Amino acid sequence: MQIDYKQAAEIIRSCDNVHILTHQSPDGDTLGSGFALYFALRAMNKRAAVICPDGIIQRYRFICQGYEEEETFEPECVIAVDIADPGLMGEVQQKYENIVDLCIDHHISNTMYAKKTLVNPNASAACEVMYHLFSELGTKIDDNIARCLYTGIATDTGCFKYSNTTPSAHIIAAEMIGYNIDFATINREMFDIKSKERLYLEQHIVDHMETYHNEKCAVLCITEDLCTRLGVDMEELDGVAGLPLQIQGMEVAVTMKEKKPGVYKISMRSAGKINVSRICQQLGGGGHVNAAGCLVTGGLDDAKAQIVEVVGKALGE
């Protein structure tokens, strides 16, 4: 059931023990919105814990500064943030998928799996939705919340260069900069800093990238073996998916990341003409018009052929 900001605020006010779910392979938006909500709930003297199925990688640990991990407790309310489909819950899906009381999201592909859903597909990020929810709640923004909201909006808009960037995103970000947050360092860490091994990976990608459909589609395959050989940690792969779109004439970029033998996490990016969310929905996933994902199982060649075929239909090839 879809609800509005006022109804979502009433749910939050009514519960005192909350589990906040973030999605697997966490990014700045799911972590930013999750921890922003945590700090808001703690300010309301409520008990809260952020459940991150894959853990929090080092480059995002600044988001949770001030987080105090609670002893295990049973929640009376479960809130999912930036999770369009329960399949994105990863290893905690079985435990939580049928008991989510409220989902706060911005994906047009949201499956409405939660009992109540606050979704604004016109928002640039879940953190933008969270900001407006805080306005309804009367939440006092502090430095911790500002750091979280800024990070989520900045990362989901590609530092404000993606087409999903809204006027509201700029306005909120400008307000957050007014707090004591090191936004310049956040942007440098999120968008500029790469390990030497990550640069080696990018060189490998350029050398081994496969193109299809009159060079309108590029496919990158990143296996566990490749990462081991190059010394790249899988947590360093943020941003790789969009690299092929720098090539003139490229319409769709597909990155296949091996999660485990026979299981590939697919990240698709579009230059603007192709709705990759619709493509990924056909494969059991979803996301945004220009950035979406899914999971595909099977052998690498078969999985690749399946994806290339679906992309080809979208391209009219």
Side-chain angles (χ1 to χ4, degrees):
M1 174 183 177
Q2 187 161 345
I3 60 174
D4 59 22
Y5 286 101
K6 182 177 181 180
Q7 292 168 308
E10 289 172 356
I11 292 173
I12 290 173
R13 290 192 187 101
S14 69
C15 54
D16 293 320
N17 300 288
V18 182
H19 277 186
I20 303 166
L21 306 183
T22 65
H23 61 65
Q24 64 183 357
S25 301
D27 57 15
D29 193 28
T30 193
L31 293 175
S33 51
F35 281 100
L37 179 58
Y38 164 82
F39 290 122
L41 289 169
R42 295 296 294 135
M44 298 167 71
N45 295 315
K46 297 178 182 293
R47 198 176 191 185
V50 179
I51 311 300
C52 185
D54 288 346
I56 303 170
I57 63 176
Q58 185 61 41
R59 68 193 298 254
Y60 287 122
R61 289 200 176 276
F62 71 91
I63 293 177
C64 55
Q65 292 174 17
Y67 176 68
E68 298 178 4
E69 190 166 352
E70 292 268 5
E71 294 182 5
T72 302
F73 65 91
E74 284 299 316
E76 60 179 300
C77 183
V78 176
I79 301 177
V81 293
D82 197 40
I83 302 178
D85 185 281
L88 298 172
M89 294 178 186
E91 63 182 25
V92 302
Q93 179 180 353
Q94 186 174 1
K95 178 178 180 180
Y96 287 105
E97 66 177 328
N98 296 317
I99 61 170
V100 176
D101 298 287
L102 173 63
C103 175
I104 301 170
D105 192 22
H106 69 123
H107 293 95
I108 195 169
S109 60
N110 192 288
T111 61
M112 300 295 172
Y113 61 90
K115 297 173 186 175
K116 303 289 176 60
T117 301
L118 172 64
V119 58
N120 178 4
N122 295 317
S124 65
C127 278
E128 186 176 331
V129 180
M130 196 68 69
Y131 172 87
H132 294 299
L133 177 57
F134 289 163
S135 295
E136 182 66 42
L137 277 167
T139 300
K140 185 179 184 302
I141 305 293
D142 60 14
D143 293 342
N144 284 329
I145 293 175
R147 183 180 64 248
C148 293
L149 295 181
Y150 180 86
T151 301
I153 292 172
T155 52
D156 247 34
T157 60
C159 208
F160 309 97
K161 70 180 181 181
Y162 295 160
S163 62
N164 66 316
T165 307
T166 62
S168 177
H170 283 288
I171 292 168
I172 296 168
E175 182 182 335
M176 297 305 103
I177 288 174
Y179 291 86
N180 185 27
I181 67 171
D182 191 349
F183 65 90
T185 296
I186 290 172
N187 288 330
R188 176 167 165 75
E189 289 290 335
M190 294 295 98
F191 304 106
D192 296 337
I193 297 297
K194 299 175 183 178
S195 70
K196 181 174 63 176
E197 290 76 17
R198 163 61 186 263
L199 291 176
Y200 289 155
L201 176 65
E202 292 187 8
Q203 180 180 8
H204 177 91
I205 286 172
V206 171
D207 291 341
H208 296 83
M209 178 175 60
E210 299 175 11
T211 59
Y212 299 89
H213 308 306
N214 295 314
E215 298 194 338
K216 294 178 183 177
C217 171
V219 178
L220 318 175
C221 299
I222 303 175
T223 63
E224 291 182 334
D225 177 67
L226 174 62
C227 288
T228 299
R229 284 192 286 113
L230 296 179
V232 182
D233 195 305
M234 292 295 275
E235 70 182 37
E236 294 186 70
L237 301 184
D238 278 3
V240 167
L243 285 176
L245 293 183
Q246 297 177 29
I247 301 172
Q248 188 173 12
M250 195 66 66
E251 292 292 337
V252 178
V254 180
T255 300
M256 304 178 65
K257 302 175 187 175
E258 186 179 30
K259 294 279 288 183
K260 57 184 179 181
V263 179
Y264 297 91
K265 181 179 185 294
I266 310 303
S267 298
M268 287 193 195
R269 300 293 183 266
S270 168
K273 295 180 180 179
I274 303 300
N275 185 334
V276 290
S277 179
R278 290 178 183 169
I279 297 174
C280 287
Q281 284 175 351
Q282 296 177 54
L283 299 169
H288 302 291
V289 171
N290 293 328
C294 59
L295 284 177
V296 174
T297 59
L300 177 59
D301 290 340
D302 290 341
K304 188 190 306 178
Q306 180 183 1
I307 293 164
V308 169
E309 180 182 3
V310 177
V311 172
K313 291 179 180 178
L315 287 167
E317 297 290 328

